[in-house]
Amino acid sequence: MQNTETTLQLRLWTVEEYHRMAEAGIFGADERVELLEGKIIWMIAKGTAHRSAVGRTDYLLKNILGERAWVSIQDPIKLNDRSEPEPDIAVVKIDPLDYADHHPTPSEVYLIIEVADSSLKLDCVTKSQAYSQAGITDYWVLDVINRQLQVFRQPTPQGYESKVVLAEDATIAPLEFPDLQIAVLDMLPPVKKS
C-alpha cells in the first residue's frame, strides 16, 4: 500500500540569513515579519486594545524603572541563531551603546511582555517555548480580551515549569525588580463605561 502522507522537510533560516534577506529588500516596507525557530512568520495586525496596552505598559515601566533598565517596544531580541522575535515590550539591561552594535540577547533581558488580543495561542505556546528554551526567566502575556496576565517563570528546554494566571485586580513584581509592585489593571486598556 502506498503512503499518502507527506512529511515536508522545512528549510530553516538563520538570523544572519534573515538579516541579509531584509537588506536585499525581499520583505516589503509594509511587511511585518519576525524570525522564530528558523521560520519567518507574519506578525499579527495590532488592534486598538493591543496598541493601548502596549502604550500604557511602556509608559508605566519607564516611569517606575527610571534609569534601572531600558524599555524597548517591538524591537528585536536575538534569542539564538534561529530566533529573533520582536516582543511587544522587553525590559533589558542598559547598554552603553544603546544596542547600536547588537540586539539584546537572553543574558541582557530582564523581562519580556507580549500583549495578546488575537495572538494568545501563539504567545502562550510557540513564543513561550522559544523564550523558555532561550532561558528568559520572566515572561508575561497580557491578555487584553480576558483582562488577565499570564506569568511564565522557571524556564527549561521543555518549556516553563511555572505558569500563573493573575486577574486584573492583582499586582506583580518583576523577578529582577522585586521592590516594584505593578497592578495588572494599570497595564490593561481602560474599560469604556456605558
Side-chain angles (χ1 to χ4, degrees):
M1 175 176 232
Q2 184 179 21
N3 184 356
T4 58
E5 291 184 35
T6 303
T7 302
L8 299 176
Q9 295 295 319
L10 297 178
R11 196 313 194 161
L12 301 179
W13 303 100
T14 67
V15 170
E16 183 181 326
E17 292 167 330
Y18 176 67
H19 285 224
R20 286 200 317 254
M21 285 187 270
E23 290 164 7
I26 290 174
F27 308 121
D30 60 342
E31 284 186 288
R32 295 193 64 244
V33 295
E34 63 185 340
L35 183 68
L36 195 60
E37 298 176 347
K39 301 170 195 146
I40 299 169
I41 60 172
W42 292 98
M43 295 172 73
I44 297 169
K46 303 172 201 158
T48 55
H50 182 282
R51 185 210 42 80
S52 174
V54 169
R56 291 171 62 85
T57 305
D58 174 41
Y59 182 80
L60 173 71
L61 289 173
K62 284 178 178 169
N63 280 326
I64 64 173
L65 287 168
E67 299 297 317
R68 296 169 71 182
W70 181 276
V71 180
S72 71
I73 303 302
Q74 298 162 343
D75 289 326
I77 301 291
K78 184 179 179 187
L79 297 181
N80 55 45
D81 287 339
R82 294 205 183 272
S83 290
E84 192 175 81
E86 297 182 20
D88 290 315
I89 297 167
V91 178
V92 299
K93 291 180 179 178
I94 294 174
D95 181 85
L97 298 176
D98 294 334
Y99 295 101
D101 62 342
H102 73 285
H103 295 308
T105 59
S107 66
E108 298 167 308
V109 174
Y110 295 133
L111 169 66
I112 288 182
I113 304 172
E114 293 284 6
V115 175
D117 49 6
S118 58
S119 63
L120 188 62
K121 185 175 180 182
L122 172 69
D123 293 333
C124 290
V125 178
T126 307
K127 285 193 174 182
S128 74
Q129 182 69 27
Y131 290 139
S132 182
Q133 287 175 347
I136 302 297
T137 58
D138 210 2
Y139 171 51
W140 301 356
V141 177
L142 184 62
D143 178 353
V144 297
I145 303 300
N146 298 304
R147 300 188 63 79
Q148 58 191 18
L149 181 69
Q150 298 191 28
V151 180
F152 297 84
R153 291 178 170 164
Q154 300 172 346
T156 71
Q158 293 75 39
Y160 286 97
E161 287 186 353
S162 171
K163 177 187 170 191
V164 176
V165 179
L166 302 176
E168 68 180 336
D169 61 350
T171 60
I172 185 168
L175 286 176
E176 192 66 32
F177 305 101
D179 58 310
L180 302 178
Q181 287 297 312
I182 299 171
V184 174
L185 190 60
D186 289 344
M187 295 186 286
L188 289 165
V191 176
K192 189 175 176 179
K193 305 267 190 218
S194 6

